[in-house]
């Protein structure tokens, strides 16, 4: 989570994009070591989206969970689900791309249908290096 909270969104988006790249690079390095040792590897898919969320503890005294909910969470989940289909470990929503600005150097992937969302959504990706 990278809260914008009244800040200019472009620097916040830049930090989120940098963190996503760093996480994917770390998994790539880990997978290279594990593969060389004939151990199982893992995949990591990341979706970056910008929107309002609600968060907090949900449940009862005997079972309390911290969770994040809202339409932005649902959209991010639906975008992440397309990573395999689009063969792209990093997908970025149109909202995030607009807030990130031209300096983010994102590559458009066209408009895609997301389950539970009426209109196809513009998706983007970025070079991982």
């Amino acid at each position: 989570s990278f809260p914008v909270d009244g800040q200019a969104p472009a620097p916040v988006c830049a930090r989120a994009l940098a963190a996503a790249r760093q996480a994917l690079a770390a998994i790539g390095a880990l997978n290279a070591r594990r593969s060389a040792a004939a151990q199982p590897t893992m995949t990591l898919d990341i979706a970056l989206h910008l929107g309002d969320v609600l968060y907090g503890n949900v449940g009862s005294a005997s079972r309390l969970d911290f969770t994040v909910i809202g339409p932005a969470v649902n959209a991010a989940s639906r975008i992440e689900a397309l990573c395999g289909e689009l063969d792209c470990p990093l997908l970025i929503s149109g909202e995030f791309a607009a807030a990130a600005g031209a300096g983010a150097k994102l590559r458009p992937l066209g408009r895609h249908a997301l389950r539970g969302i009426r209109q196809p959504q513009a998706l983007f990706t970025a070079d991982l290096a």
Side-chain angles (χ1 to χ4, degrees):
S1 169
F2 292 84
V4 175
D5 294 333
Q7 302 175 55
V12 177
C13 292
R15 289 194 305 274
L17 184 55
R21 284 180 170 135
Q22 183 178 18
L24 289 165
I27 291 300
L30 174 66
N31 282 341
R33 289 191 306 273
R34 292 184 62 81
S35 182
Q39 296 177 324
T41 60
M42 66 172 281
T43 59
L44 174 65
D45 294 329
I46 297 175
L48 296 177
H49 181 55
L50 183 69
D52 293 329
V53 299
L54 299 171
Y55 59 90
N57 293 314
V58 176
S60 66
S62 62
R63 169 134 176 136
L64 195 60
D65 291 318
F66 183 81
T67 192
V68 180
I69 60 172
V73 176
N74 295 339
S77 174
R78 302 309 192 263
I79 292 167
E80 184 275 332
L82 289 178
C83 286
E85 182 180 319
L86 296 176
D87 192 28
C88 192
L90 175 60
L91 292 178
I92 299 164
S93 73
E95 291 86 350
F96 186 98
K105 298 181 183 165
L106 304 178
R107 185 167 28 96
L109 298 174
R111 298 181 74 75
H112 296 270
L114 302 178
R115 184 173 59 85
I117 297 177
R118 292 179 193 224
Q119 300 294 324
Q121 301 295 303
L123 296 180
F124 297 79
T125 192
D127 292 332
L128 299 182

